[in-house]
Amino acid sequence: MARLHADLLDKEFWYGDMTLIPNRLPDFERDEVDLTTFLTKRMAIKTPLVSSPMDTVTGSDMAILMALMGGIGILHYNFPKIDEQLEEVHKVKKFEAAFVKSPMVLGPNNTVGDVYSIAKKYGFYSVPITEDGTLKTKMIGFVAHRDVRYQENMSLSLKEIMTPKSGEHGSQELITANRKDTLDKNDVRVANKIIRKLCLDTLPIVDDDFHVVALVTDSDLQKDMRFPLATKDDNKQLKTFIAVESRLEASRERIGRGNDAGVDGIVVDASIVFKEQLEIAKYCKCNFPDLDVVLGNVDSAEMVRSIISEASEYCDAIRVGIGPGYVCKTQQELGTGRAQASAVWDCVQEAKRLEGEYGFMPMIADGGIKIHDMANRDVTKPGDITKALALGAKTVMMGNLLAGLDESPGEKEFDYETNRMVKRYRGMGSLEAMEHRAAFRYGYDQNREPIRIAEGIVTAVPYRGSGYDFVPQLIAGVKQSLQKQGFRNILELQASADIRPISRREK
Ligand code: XMP
């Protein structure tokens, strides 16, 4: 077990009050460090990073980024309608798949404009054309990006430009693969070979009657090679979780429809766990046993004990952190909550104590990961992430650090006061965010309770550019920290970290 210095025991301490002492001589390179960990009891991920279900942090673009990097994104639910959240799920699941099942199809009388509408929504231009524009009828042609790229006439019918099945109009041959050689064997290699050999963008997979059953795309092939750590399900689609309301009545429909849309788990989103949320976990597990359930938030051994002893079979991970976040006001407004590093340590210790009786329960360290940037220098300081892991958290959930990326919802803007580009970042407990479903997170039942206490603020964070540059730096920083301490993986860190106080609070 990691060693916590006596001066920190029985004290409240933040990440900034502690340091990790290197006391081994490493004999391996940074990139040999393996950050594989457990998000939930049964779900391993290769990067211990989770994006928070906040409406200025995780929509589909962030969830895709996080999953490609080996972590995971929790899609927020602060939309007026459930459908809008499910649309985000859909985008994540459609993003990358060995076989894109139930692909979009159009009919011969659809237009070039319809292809552009699909491209705008989902980012691809290749569409099989079937007799009546549904998957129920035979494929009669195919439209690829090259067919529409230079078309200016948006009302031109697709039958005029598609590559037809029969090779009419002296056109190219329509290339397909049979499902028996590919999809039925869940083997994408035959399809990939054809794509590479013939330099195709997309290969339709058909059955013996020429009905389209799936697509395989070259861009997915390339993504596969670029993101070897990606968090994927059995269909090779990216994994994602959704946040759901912390009231049973309100969350039921979202859980069921989320399950149908293919989500991998739910986070019952509450600033502090109420008993009712254990009921939601039970409801979810009894009705949708394939979904993983995350409960939270907690900050004490007692709360962890209550969840584990009352609901361990319904819960797969626990979120730790009450009020440590960048936009949180809970501690000031309500006088509750505590220093995040102590909270993580205590909760992990309690879960370990109960492990023999109830089994493993991973903790997610949620909030309070800081990075300081003066004039945009020094923007990646993953030290807090390693500290949270050393204290025993299996993963780290972040809002502030990710809110300034291109992949968070919202546009960057120029801030004349600080003379730099920023993105808006708001607490889900801000009055503004609580106008929608986020009110549930703070225990309000949307239409009741007219008096609301703001537990969060609306602010802005520095614009940090593309997450595809930023997150790899975070990951490399965490690996480097482990390497410097002589640990090859998170298990070794958690077994032997030497955690001591630092005399000066980190600036
Ligand atoms: P960071 O520090 O990464 O924290 O920005 C993200 C976490 O903060 C929590 N959160 C809030 N807590 N009032 C709070 O007390 C709020 O308005 C609020 N909004 C988000 C949440 O746990 C998130 O993951």
Side-chain angles (χ1 to χ4, degrees), residues 436-487:
H436 302 293
R437 308 301 280 181
F440 284 100
R441 179 178 156 80
Y442 296 88
Y444 302 112
D445 196 346
Q446 277 237 307
N447 303 317
R448 288 190 234 140
E449 296 104 354
I451 299 177
R452 291 183 178 179
I453 314 288
E455 291 187 45
I457 58 167
V458 179
T459 183
V461 292
Y463 169 61
R464 302 192 205 288
S466 166
Y468 290 88
D469 297 326
F470 183 81
V471 177
Q473 286 190 51
L474 281 186
I475 296 171
V478 176
K479 286 187 171 181
Q480 194 152 327
S481 170
L482 263 68
Q483 183 213 22
K484 289 270 153 77
Q485 296 170 74
F487 301 128

Short mmCIF file of all heavy atoms in Angstrom, two decimals, residues 436-487:
data_model
loop_
_atom_site.label_atom_id
_atom_site.label_comp_id
_atom_site.label_asym_id
_atom_site.label_seq_id
_atom_site.Cartn_x
_atom_site.Cartn_y
_atom_site.Cartn_z
N HIS A 436 -31.97 23.94 -16.72
CA HIS A 436 -32.33 22.70 -17.42
C HIS A 436 -32.22 21.51 -16.48
O HIS A 436 -32.39 21.65 -15.29
CB HIS A 436 -31.46 22.53 -18.67
CG HIS A 436 -31.57 23.69 -19.62
ND1 HIS A 436 -32.72 23.97 -20.29
CD2 HIS A 436 -30.67 24.64 -19.95
CE1 HIS A 436 -32.53 25.05 -21.04
NE2 HIS A 436 -31.31 25.48 -20.84
N ARG A 437 -31.84 20.36 -17.02
CA ARG A 437 -31.86 19.13 -16.22
C ARG A 437 -30.82 19.13 -15.10
O ARG A 437 -30.94 18.35 -14.15
CB ARG A 437 -31.59 17.91 -17.12
CG ARG A 437 -32.47 17.81 -18.33
CD ARG A 437 -33.91 17.75 -18.00
NE ARG A 437 -34.38 16.44 -17.58
CZ ARG A 437 -35.65 16.18 -17.26
NH1 ARG A 437 -36.55 17.17 -17.31
NH2 ARG A 437 -36.01 14.98 -16.87
N ALA A 438 -29.78 19.97 -15.21
CA ALA A 438 -28.73 19.97 -14.18
C ALA A 438 -29.29 20.23 -12.80
O ALA A 438 -28.67 19.90 -11.79
CB ALA A 438 -27.67 21.02 -14.52
N ALA A 439 -30.50 20.81 -12.72
CA ALA A 439 -31.11 21.07 -11.42
C ALA A 439 -31.21 19.78 -10.60
O ALA A 439 -31.07 19.80 -9.38
CB ALA A 439 -32.49 21.69 -11.61
N PHE A 440 -31.40 18.67 -11.29
CA PHE A 440 -31.51 17.39 -10.58
C PHE A 440 -30.24 17.05 -9.81
O PHE A 440 -30.28 16.43 -8.77
CB PHE A 440 -31.81 16.25 -11.57
CG PHE A 440 -33.23 16.23 -12.03
CD1 PHE A 440 -33.59 16.76 -13.25
CD2 PHE A 440 -34.22 15.69 -11.22
CE1 PHE A 440 -34.90 16.74 -13.68
CE2 PHE A 440 -35.54 15.66 -11.64
CZ PHE A 440 -35.88 16.20 -12.87
N ARG A 441 -29.10 17.44 -10.38
CA ARG A 441 -27.81 17.14 -9.75
C ARG A 441 -27.73 17.73 -8.33
O ARG A 441 -27.06 17.21 -7.47
CB ARG A 441 -26.69 17.73 -10.63
CG ARG A 441 -25.32 17.50 -10.09
CD ARG A 441 -24.27 18.06 -11.05
NE ARG A 441 -23.05 18.36 -10.31
CZ ARG A 441 -22.15 17.47 -9.96
NH1 ARG A 441 -22.27 16.24 -10.32
NH2 ARG A 441 -21.11 17.82 -9.24
N TYR A 442 -28.44 18.82 -8.15
CA TYR A 442 -28.39 19.49 -6.84
C TYR A 442 -29.64 19.21 -6.01
O TYR A 442 -29.96 19.95 -5.07
CB TYR A 442 -28.12 21.00 -7.05
CG TYR A 442 -26.75 21.12 -7.67
CD1 TYR A 442 -26.60 21.07 -9.06
CD2 TYR A 442 -25.61 21.10 -6.89
CE1 TYR A 442 -25.34 21.06 -9.64
CE2 TYR A 442 -24.35 21.08 -7.46
CZ TYR A 442 -24.22 21.07 -8.83
OH TYR A 442 -22.97 21.02 -9.40
N GLY A 443 -30.35 18.14 -6.39
CA GLY A 443 -31.47 17.68 -5.58
C GLY A 443 -32.78 18.36 -5.88
O GLY A 443 -33.78 18.13 -5.20
N TYR A 444 -32.83 19.25 -6.89
CA TYR A 444 -34.10 19.91 -7.20
C TYR A 444 -34.88 19.07 -8.19
O TYR A 444 -34.33 18.52 -9.12
CB TYR A 444 -33.85 21.30 -7.82
CG TYR A 444 -33.05 22.20 -6.94
CD1 TYR A 444 -31.76 22.58 -7.31
CD2 TYR A 444 -33.56 22.66 -5.74
CE1 TYR A 444 -31.01 23.41 -6.50
CE2 TYR A 444 -32.81 23.49 -4.93
CZ TYR A 444 -31.53 23.85 -5.31
OH TYR A 444 -30.79 24.65 -4.50
N ASP A 445 -36.17 19.02 -7.96
CA ASP A 445 -37.03 18.28 -8.85
C ASP A 445 -37.65 19.32 -9.78
O ASP A 445 -38.68 19.90 -9.48
CB ASP A 445 -38.10 17.55 -8.04
CG ASP A 445 -38.76 16.48 -8.88
OD1 ASP A 445 -38.57 16.53 -10.10
OD2 ASP A 445 -39.46 15.63 -8.32
N GLN A 446 -36.97 19.56 -10.85
CA GLN A 446 -37.24 20.63 -11.83
C GLN A 446 -38.32 21.66 -11.52
O GLN A 446 -38.01 22.82 -11.34
CB GLN A 446 -37.49 20.00 -13.19
CG GLN A 446 -36.19 19.71 -13.87
CD GLN A 446 -36.10 20.39 -15.21
OE1 GLN A 446 -36.98 20.24 -16.04
NE2 GLN A 446 -35.06 21.15 -15.43
N ASN A 447 -39.58 21.25 -11.39
CA ASN A 447 -40.60 22.29 -11.29
C ASN A 447 -40.92 22.71 -9.87
O ASN A 447 -41.59 23.69 -9.65
CB ASN A 447 -41.87 21.81 -12.00
CG ASN A 447 -41.53 21.47 -13.43
OD1 ASN A 447 -40.79 22.21 -14.07
ND2 ASN A 447 -41.99 20.33 -13.91
N ARG A 448 -40.43 21.92 -8.91
CA ARG A 448 -40.68 22.31 -7.52
C ARG A 448 -39.59 23.25 -7.04
O ARG A 448 -38.85 23.81 -7.83
CB ARG A 448 -40.72 21.05 -6.65
CG ARG A 448 -41.98 20.23 -6.90
CD ARG A 448 -42.10 19.12 -5.86
NE ARG A 448 -42.24 17.83 -6.50
CZ ARG A 448 -41.65 16.72 -6.08
NH1 ARG A 448 -40.88 16.72 -5.03
NH2 ARG A 448 -41.84 15.59 -6.71
N GLU A 449 -39.45 23.41 -5.76
CA GLU A 449 -38.42 24.22 -5.11
C GLU A 449 -38.06 25.50 -5.86
O GLU A 449 -37.08 25.55 -6.61
CB GLU A 449 -37.11 23.43 -4.92
CG GLU A 449 -37.23 22.25 -4.01
CD GLU A 449 -37.26 20.96 -4.82
OE1 GLU A 449 -37.30 21.06 -6.06
OE2 GLU A 449 -37.29 19.90 -4.21
N PRO A 450 -38.83 26.56 -5.69
CA PRO A 450 -38.52 27.80 -6.40
C PRO A 450 -37.23 28.46 -5.91
O PRO A 450 -36.57 29.17 -6.66
CB PRO A 450 -39.72 28.69 -6.10
CG PRO A 450 -40.39 28.09 -4.92
CD PRO A 450 -40.04 26.65 -4.89
N ILE A 451 -36.85 28.19 -4.65
CA ILE A 451 -35.61 28.82 -4.17
C ILE A 451 -34.43 27.90 -4.47
O ILE A 451 -34.40 26.75 -4.04
CB ILE A 451 -35.67 29.08 -2.65
CG1 ILE A 451 -36.82 30.02 -2.34
CG2 ILE A 451 -34.34 29.63 -2.15
CD1 ILE A 451 -37.01 30.28 -0.86
N ARG A 452 -33.48 28.41 -5.18
CA ARG A 452 -32.31 27.60 -5.53
C ARG A 452 -31.04 28.28 -5.05
O ARG A 452 -30.88 29.49 -5.21
CB ARG A 452 -32.23 27.41 -7.03
CG ARG A 452 -33.36 26.53 -7.49
CD ARG A 452 -33.30 26.24 -8.95
NE ARG A 452 -34.42 25.34 -9.26
CZ ARG A 452 -34.69 24.90 -10.45
NH1 ARG A 452 -33.95 25.25 -11.47
NH2 ARG A 452 -35.71 24.10 -10.65
N ILE A 453 -30.17 27.49 -4.49
CA ILE A 453 -28.89 28.04 -4.03
C ILE A 453 -27.84 27.72 -5.09
O ILE A 453 -27.66 26.54 -5.43
CB ILE A 453 -28.44 27.36 -2.71
CG1 ILE A 453 -29.58 27.27 -1.69
CG2 ILE A 453 -27.19 28.02 -2.14
CD1 ILE A 453 -29.97 28.56 -1.07
N ALA A 454 -27.18 28.73 -5.60
CA ALA A 454 -26.15 28.47 -6.60
C ALA A 454 -24.97 27.79 -5.94
O ALA A 454 -24.43 28.29 -4.95
CB ALA A 454 -25.70 29.78 -7.24
N GLU A 455 -24.58 26.62 -6.49
CA GLU A 455 -23.40 25.93 -5.95
C GLU A 455 -22.25 25.97 -6.97
O GLU A 455 -21.25 25.28 -6.80
CB GLU A 455 -23.74 24.49 -5.57
CG GLU A 455 -24.66 24.40 -4.38
CD GLU A 455 -24.88 22.97 -3.89
OE1 GLU A 455 -23.90 22.22 -3.79
OE2 GLU A 455 -26.04 22.62 -3.62
N GLY A 456 -22.46 26.76 -8.02
CA GLY A 456 -21.40 26.85 -9.03
C GLY A 456 -21.39 28.22 -9.67
O GLY A 456 -22.36 28.99 -9.53
N ILE A 457 -20.31 28.51 -10.35
CA ILE A 457 -20.19 29.82 -11.00
C ILE A 457 -20.03 29.64 -12.51
O ILE A 457 -19.76 28.55 -13.00
CB ILE A 457 -18.97 30.60 -10.46
CG1 ILE A 457 -17.67 29.79 -10.69
CG2 ILE A 457 -19.13 30.93 -8.98
CD1 ILE A 457 -16.41 30.60 -10.49
N VAL A 458 -20.23 30.78 -13.19
CA VAL A 458 -20.00 30.79 -14.63
C VAL A 458 -18.71 31.57 -14.85
O VAL A 458 -18.56 32.68 -14.33
CB VAL A 458 -21.15 31.50 -15.36
CG1 VAL A 458 -20.90 31.53 -16.86
CG2 VAL A 458 -22.48 30.83 -15.05
N THR A 459 -17.78 30.99 -15.57
CA THR A 459 -16.51 31.68 -15.76
C THR A 459 -15.95 31.35 -17.15
O THR A 459 -16.69 30.88 -18.02
CB THR A 459 -15.52 31.27 -14.63
OG1 THR A 459 -14.32 31.99 -14.79
CG2 THR A 459 -15.21 29.79 -14.61
N ALA A 460 -14.69 31.60 -17.35
CA ALA A 460 -14.05 31.26 -18.63
C ALA A 460 -12.69 30.67 -18.33
O ALA A 460 -12.08 31.00 -17.31
CB ALA A 460 -13.91 32.50 -19.49
N VAL A 461 -12.23 29.79 -19.20
CA VAL A 461 -10.89 29.21 -19.03
C VAL A 461 -10.10 29.51 -20.30
O VAL A 461 -10.69 29.71 -21.37
CB VAL A 461 -10.95 27.69 -18.79
CG1 VAL A 461 -11.57 27.38 -17.44
CG2 VAL A 461 -11.72 26.97 -19.90
N PRO A 462 -8.78 29.55 -20.20
CA PRO A 462 -7.99 29.85 -21.39
C PRO A 462 -8.24 28.83 -22.49
O PRO A 462 -8.39 27.63 -22.20
CB PRO A 462 -6.54 29.73 -20.90
CG PRO A 462 -6.61 29.83 -19.43
CD PRO A 462 -7.95 29.34 -19.01
N TYR A 463 -8.31 29.32 -23.70
CA TYR A 463 -8.46 28.43 -24.85
C TYR A 463 -7.16 27.62 -25.00
O TYR A 463 -6.07 28.18 -24.98
CB TYR A 463 -8.72 29.27 -26.10
CG TYR A 463 -8.63 28.50 -27.39
CD1 TYR A 463 -9.48 27.44 -27.64
CD2 TYR A 463 -7.68 28.85 -28.36
CE1 TYR A 463 -9.39 26.72 -28.83
CE2 TYR A 463 -7.59 28.15 -29.55
CZ TYR A 463 -8.44 27.09 -29.77
OH TYR A 463 -8.35 26.38 -30.94
N ARG A 464 -7.29 26.29 -25.11
CA ARG A 464 -6.09 25.45 -25.12
C ARG A 464 -5.88 24.70 -26.44
O ARG A 464 -5.09 23.76 -26.49
CB ARG A 464 -6.14 24.44 -23.98
CG ARG A 464 -6.27 25.05 -22.60
CD ARG A 464 -6.03 24.03 -21.50
NE ARG A 464 -6.68 24.37 -20.26
CZ ARG A 464 -6.30 25.35 -19.45
NH1 ARG A 464 -5.27 26.10 -19.77
NH2 ARG A 464 -6.95 25.61 -18.34
N GLY A 465 -6.64 25.04 -27.47
CA GLY A 465 -6.39 24.41 -28.78
C GLY A 465 -6.96 23.01 -28.87
O GLY A 465 -7.92 22.66 -28.18
N SER A 466 -6.32 22.21 -29.72
CA SER A 466 -6.87 20.88 -30.00
C SER A 466 -6.53 19.88 -28.90
O SER A 466 -5.39 19.76 -28.48
CB SER A 466 -6.29 20.38 -31.32
OG SER A 466 -6.54 19.00 -31.43
N GLY A 467 -7.54 19.13 -28.51
CA GLY A 467 -7.33 18.06 -27.54
C GLY A 467 -6.43 16.97 -28.08
O GLY A 467 -5.82 16.23 -27.31
N TYR A 468 -6.33 16.89 -29.42
CA TYR A 468 -5.49 15.85 -30.00
C TYR A 468 -4.00 16.18 -29.81
O TYR A 468 -3.13 15.33 -29.99
CB TYR A 468 -5.85 15.63 -31.48
CG TYR A 468 -7.21 14.99 -31.57
CD1 TYR A 468 -8.38 15.76 -31.61
CD2 TYR A 468 -7.36 13.61 -31.54
CE1 TYR A 468 -9.64 15.18 -31.62
CE2 TYR A 468 -8.60 13.01 -31.57
CZ TYR A 468 -9.74 13.81 -31.61
OH TYR A 468 -10.99 13.22 -31.61
N ASP A 469 -3.71 17.45 -29.46
CA ASP A 469 -2.34 17.81 -29.06
C ASP A 469 -2.22 17.79 -27.53
O ASP A 469 -1.22 17.38 -26.98
CB ASP A 469 -1.99 19.23 -29.53
CG ASP A 469 -2.00 19.32 -31.04
OD1 ASP A 469 -1.62 18.33 -31.68
OD2 ASP A 469 -2.41 20.37 -31.57
N PHE A 470 -3.27 18.28 -26.87
CA PHE A 470 -3.21 18.51 -25.42
C PHE A 470 -3.25 17.20 -24.60
O PHE A 470 -2.43 17.01 -23.70
CB PHE A 470 -4.39 19.41 -25.04
CG PHE A 470 -4.44 19.79 -23.59
CD1 PHE A 470 -3.67 20.83 -23.10
CD2 PHE A 470 -5.27 19.12 -22.71
CE1 PHE A 470 -3.72 21.19 -21.76
CE2 PHE A 470 -5.34 19.47 -21.37
CZ PHE A 470 -4.55 20.51 -20.90
N VAL A 471 -4.19 16.33 -24.92
CA VAL A 471 -4.35 15.12 -24.09
C VAL A 471 -3.10 14.21 -24.17
O VAL A 471 -2.66 13.71 -23.14
CB VAL A 471 -5.67 14.38 -24.43
CG1 VAL A 471 -5.79 13.09 -23.62
CG2 VAL A 471 -6.85 15.29 -24.12
N PRO A 472 -2.49 14.03 -25.36
CA PRO A 472 -1.26 13.23 -25.37
C PRO A 472 -0.17 13.82 -24.47
O PRO A 472 0.62 13.08 -23.89
CB PRO A 472 -0.84 13.26 -26.84
CG PRO A 472 -2.11 13.45 -27.58
CD PRO A 472 -2.96 14.34 -26.73
N GLN A 473 -0.15 15.15 -24.34
CA GLN A 473 0.84 15.75 -23.42
C GLN A 473 0.52 15.39 -21.97
O GLN A 473 1.42 15.12 -21.17
CB GLN A 473 0.82 17.27 -23.54
CG GLN A 473 1.46 17.77 -24.81
CD GLN A 473 1.63 19.28 -24.74
OE1 GLN A 473 2.16 19.81 -23.78
NE2 GLN A 473 1.13 19.97 -25.74
N LEU A 474 -0.76 15.41 -21.64
CA LEU A 474 -1.15 15.02 -20.27
C LEU A 474 -0.73 13.58 -20.00
O LEU A 474 -0.16 13.27 -18.96
CB LEU A 474 -2.68 15.08 -20.11
CG LEU A 474 -3.37 16.40 -19.89
CD1 LEU A 474 -4.84 16.15 -19.62
CD2 LEU A 474 -2.75 17.15 -18.72
N ILE A 475 -1.02 12.72 -20.97
CA ILE A 475 -0.72 11.30 -20.79
C ILE A 475 0.80 11.11 -20.64
O ILE A 475 1.27 10.41 -19.73
CB ILE A 475 -1.25 10.48 -21.98
CG1 ILE A 475 -2.79 10.56 -22.02
CG2 ILE A 475 -0.79 9.03 -21.91
CD1 ILE A 475 -3.43 9.98 -23.27
N ALA A 476 1.55 11.79 -21.50
CA ALA A 476 3.02 11.66 -21.42
C ALA A 476 3.51 12.17 -20.07
O ALA A 476 4.43 11.60 -19.47
CB ALA A 476 3.68 12.44 -22.56
N GLY A 477 2.88 13.24 -19.57
CA GLY A 477 3.29 13.80 -18.28
C GLY A 477 3.05 12.81 -17.15
O GLY A 477 3.90 12.64 -16.26
N VAL A 478 1.91 12.14 -17.17
CA VAL A 478 1.61 11.15 -16.12
C VAL A 478 2.62 10.00 -16.21
O VAL A 478 3.17 9.55 -15.20
CB VAL A 478 0.16 10.62 -16.25
CG1 VAL A 478 -0.10 9.53 -15.21
CG2 VAL A 478 -0.84 11.76 -16.08
N LYS A 479 2.88 9.56 -17.44
CA LYS A 479 3.85 8.46 -17.61
C LYS A 479 5.22 8.87 -17.09
O LYS A 479 5.91 8.09 -16.43
CB LYS A 479 3.97 8.08 -19.10
CG LYS A 479 2.77 7.33 -19.61
CD LYS A 479 3.03 6.85 -21.02
CE LYS A 479 1.93 5.90 -21.47
NZ LYS A 479 2.14 5.40 -22.81
N GLN A 480 5.59 10.10 -17.40
CA GLN A 480 6.92 10.56 -16.97
C GLN A 480 7.02 10.62 -15.45
O GLN A 480 8.04 10.31 -14.86
CB GLN A 480 7.20 11.95 -17.57
CG GLN A 480 8.64 12.33 -17.46
CD GLN A 480 9.05 13.27 -18.58
OE1 GLN A 480 8.54 13.17 -19.69
NE2 GLN A 480 9.96 14.17 -18.30
N SER A 481 5.91 11.03 -14.83
CA SER A 481 5.90 11.09 -13.37
C SER A 481 6.09 9.69 -12.78
O SER A 481 6.87 9.50 -11.84
CB SER A 481 4.57 11.71 -12.92
OG SER A 481 4.43 11.58 -11.54
N LEU A 482 5.39 8.71 -13.34
CA LEU A 482 5.56 7.34 -12.84
C LEU A 482 6.99 6.85 -13.07
O LEU A 482 7.60 6.23 -12.20
CB LEU A 482 4.56 6.38 -13.52
CG LEU A 482 3.28 6.10 -12.72
CD1 LEU A 482 2.42 7.33 -12.62
CD2 LEU A 482 2.49 4.96 -13.33
N GLN A 483 7.49 7.17 -14.27
CA GLN A 483 8.86 6.72 -14.58
C GLN A 483 9.85 7.31 -13.58
O GLN A 483 10.72 6.60 -13.06
CB GLN A 483 9.23 7.14 -16.00
CG GLN A 483 10.60 6.64 -16.42
CD GLN A 483 11.29 7.61 -17.37
OE1 GLN A 483 10.96 8.80 -17.42
NE2 GLN A 483 12.22 7.09 -18.13
N LYS A 484 9.70 8.60 -13.29
CA LYS A 484 10.65 9.26 -12.35
C LYS A 484 10.61 8.60 -10.98
O LYS A 484 11.59 8.59 -10.25
CB LYS A 484 10.28 10.75 -12.21
CG LYS A 484 10.58 11.57 -13.44
CD LYS A 484 11.98 12.16 -13.40
CE LYS A 484 12.56 12.41 -14.78
NZ LYS A 484 12.04 13.59 -15.44
N GLN A 485 9.43 8.08 -10.61
CA GLN A 485 9.33 7.42 -9.30
C GLN A 485 9.69 5.94 -9.39
O GLN A 485 9.67 5.23 -8.38
CB GLN A 485 7.91 7.55 -8.76
CG GLN A 485 7.48 8.98 -8.49
CD GLN A 485 5.99 9.03 -8.19
OE1 GLN A 485 5.57 8.63 -7.13
NE2 GLN A 485 5.21 9.50 -9.15
N GLY A 486 9.96 5.46 -10.60
CA GLY A 486 10.37 4.07 -10.78
C GLY A 486 9.22 3.08 -10.84
O GLY A 486 9.39 1.91 -10.54
N PHE A 487 8.04 3.57 -11.26
CA PHE A 487 6.88 2.66 -11.34
C PHE A 487 6.50 2.43 -12.80
O PHE A 487 6.34 3.38 -13.56
CB PHE A 487 5.68 3.25 -10.59
CG PHE A 487 5.96 3.51 -9.14
CD1 PHE A 487 5.71 4.75 -8.58
CD2 PHE A 487 6.47 2.51 -8.34
CE1 PHE A 487 5.97 4.99 -7.24
CE2 PHE A 487 6.74 2.73 -7.00
CZ PHE A 487 6.49 3.98 -6.45
#
